[in-house]
Amino acid sequence: MCFFSQNGTKKSWDCMQTHDSVSVLIFNTTSHCFILVKQFRPAVYMTEWERSKPKPLQPAEEESAEAAPAEPKVPEDDKAGEASEGTSSHQPPASAGVTYELCAGLVDKPNLSLEEIARQEVLEECGYDVSVTKLRKITSYRSGVGVTGSKQTMFYAEVSEENRVGEGGGKPQEGELIEVVKVPLHEAMTFAFDESIPKTMGVIFSFIWFHSNMSPKYKISTNV
Amino acid sequence: MCFFSQNGTKKSWDCMQTHDSVSVLIFNTTSHCFILVKQFRPAVYMTEWERSKPKPLQPAEEESAEAAPAEPKVPEDDKAGEASEGTSSHQPPASAGVTYELCAGLVDKPNLSLEEIARQEVLEECGYDVSVTKLRKITSYRSGVGVTGSKQTMFYAEVSEENRVGEGGGKPQEGELIEVVKVPLHEAMTFAFDESIPKTMGVIFSFIWFHSNMSPKYKISTNV
């Protein structure tokens, strides 16, 4: 991650270590569900918190009122209790910081291949033990070109109930607050384009990729 | 954009202003081409620069050699001459910082709707004057959930040669270095999944969205 900074007459790039990343569209062939992770994201929460602040009535105010969305629909109970303690009138509930995402992780282990890192994330976050040979690369692209410019590689993995060896949930000791979520195949495209459900573009793209590439195999109607 | 920082015993969130954004998939119905922008991205360049540094032979080295991609294929001449001056052996060419992206912009004008901001970006970056009523919302999603958590809304706009009123190119005075690029419809899916062409997920997603939603209208073969 790089920032252009000016200190007196000195201009320079300040760079933090940026890691590439992997993400995995997981399809459970037993239950015909996609496996996503639902995660509390501090950056999303803080953005919503900033957005919810009372707007001063000044012409110079930069925040666009029209850009402010309705509060995201997150049907389940608040999973981040601490963050909602002491809520004042303009602080959104912790659920406002939750997003639905593909299982994903940083490429920060020098001795592992992208596939091996993806396999580890599937195991840690979602509880499925899947062979690296079962991972199919969908494609790669640049993420966050304005900020990080790192490369993300997306995989597709089919799993079955037999591959399920744990609960997933990530690594709480590393600050991860992850819940495994199933999205039934027949609801996938509705889920993808329901803007009241906060999600990443990776979820939408991978669902539509599946629809284009895998639907014939599973003879599905994806209600689009 | 928010960072969690610790200063002595004081822990706090440091937040910078984060803007939502809009992006637009533009399809020229006269030439049957998608209109993209090709842009030099400092963050991408710096990431490639970091990646290209000679690796110390230390077990603690964090960068994964397997994650290092081949140099991106950017067929045209280097458009960012200054950045490549004084290139040393490990500095990549400026073309390594170039990405293909949808026309896009920040939601930073409080009195304009998302559609009006999208319209302005199409005009400034790509030179097409398109009515806001011609903009069709594809969907919205969270971008950069680990860093910014802002919301991006994607639109689809059909334009014709009659709508072309300028060259586009963005605002050089604001540091934008943008080239308008046409991708013929029949090459779009090959372009989307050619990993040697550096691009954002928005390009890939919107092309596959078009393939799923608009292909019947244009009776196209998109070679997938």
Side-chain angles (χ1 to χ4, degrees), chain B residues 113-128:
Chain B
S113 68
L114 294 182
E115 287 78 4
E116 287 166 336
I117 289 173
R119 180 190 172 280
Q120 280 194 352
E121 294 295 338
V122 172
L123 183 61
E124 289 172 7
E125 293 191 348
C126 301
Y128 291 92

Side-chain angles (χ1 to χ4, degrees), chain A residues 20 48 51 140 142 195, chain B residues 20 48 51 140 142 195:
Chain A
D20 291 336
E48 289 306 310
R51 199 198 302 277
S140 65
R142 291 284 171 181
E195 292 180 69
Chain B
D20 290 337
E48 289 306 311
R51 200 198 301 278
S140 65
R142 292 285 173 180
E195 291 180 69

Side-chain angles (χ1 to χ4, degrees), chain B residues 61-178:
Chain B
E61 168 62 30
E62 277 207 312
E63 195 72 25
S64 168
E66 299 195 44
E71 188 176 306
K73 181 179 76 181
V74 178
E76 297 182 36
D77 289 339
D78 172 14
K79 299 287 175 184
E82 283 186 40
S84 65
E85 279 177 14
T87 299
S88 75
S89 59
H90 72 261
Q91 284 177 349
S95 57
V98 167
T99 56
Y100 292 81
E101 308 174 19
L102 294 182
C103 169
L106 296 177
V107 179
D108 55 3
K109 300 179 183 74
N111 301 318
L112 298 185
S113 68
L114 294 182
E115 287 78 4
E116 287 166 336
I117 289 173
R119 180 190 172 280
Q120 280 194 352
E121 294 295 338
V122 172
L123 183 61
E124 289 172 7
E125 293 191 348
C126 301
Y128 291 92
D129 188 2
V130 59
S131 161
V132 291
T133 60
K134 297 270 282 183
L135 287 164
R136 168 181 171 180
K137 184 161 81 168
I138 297 178
T139 192
S140 65
Y141 42 86
R142 292 285 173 180
S143 64
V145 290
V147 185
T148 64
S150 59
K151 189 179 176 185
Q152 186 165 68
T153 305
M154 185 182 285
F155 293 95
Y156 171 65
E158 290 187 357
V159 301
S160 70
E161 279 305 315
E162 290 178 3
N163 302 129
R164 195 143 174 273
V165 296
E167 293 297 316
K171 293 179 174 172
Q173 68 274 22
E174 292 184 7
E176 289 183 336
L177 194 60
I178 290 174

Side-chain angles (χ1 to χ4, degrees), chain A residues 16-48:
Chain A
M16 293 191 279
Q17 178 73 49
T18 300
H19 287 296
D20 291 336
S21 57
V22 295
S23 62
V24 190
L25 172 65
I26 305 171
F27 181 61
N28 185 320
T29 57
T30 311
S31 60
H32 274 211
C33 286
F34 292 110
I35 311 296
L36 299 182
V37 297
K38 186 177 153 190
Q39 192 161 2
F40 177 79
R41 288 292 196 173
V44 172
Y45 182 77
M46 295 307 283
T47 298
E48 289 306 310

Side-chain angles (χ1 to χ4, degrees), chain A residues 39-111:
Chain A
Q39 192 161 2
F40 177 79
R41 288 292 196 173
V44 172
Y45 182 77
M46 295 307 283
T47 298
E48 289 306 310
W49 187 78
E50 285 290 321
R51 199 198 302 277
S52 68
K53 281 182 178 175
K55 303 281 186 300
L57 294 173
Q58 293 169 0
E61 169 63 31
E62 277 208 311
E63 194 74 22
S64 168
E66 299 197 44
E71 188 176 305
K73 180 179 77 181
V74 179
E76 298 181 37
D77 289 339
D78 172 15
K79 298 289 175 183
E82 282 187 40
S84 65
E85 280 178 14
T87 299
S88 75
S89 59
H90 72 261
Q91 284 178 349
S95 56
V98 167
T99 56
Y100 292 80
E101 309 175 20
L102 294 182
C103 169
L106 296 177
V107 179
D108 57 2
K109 300 180 183 72
N111 300 317

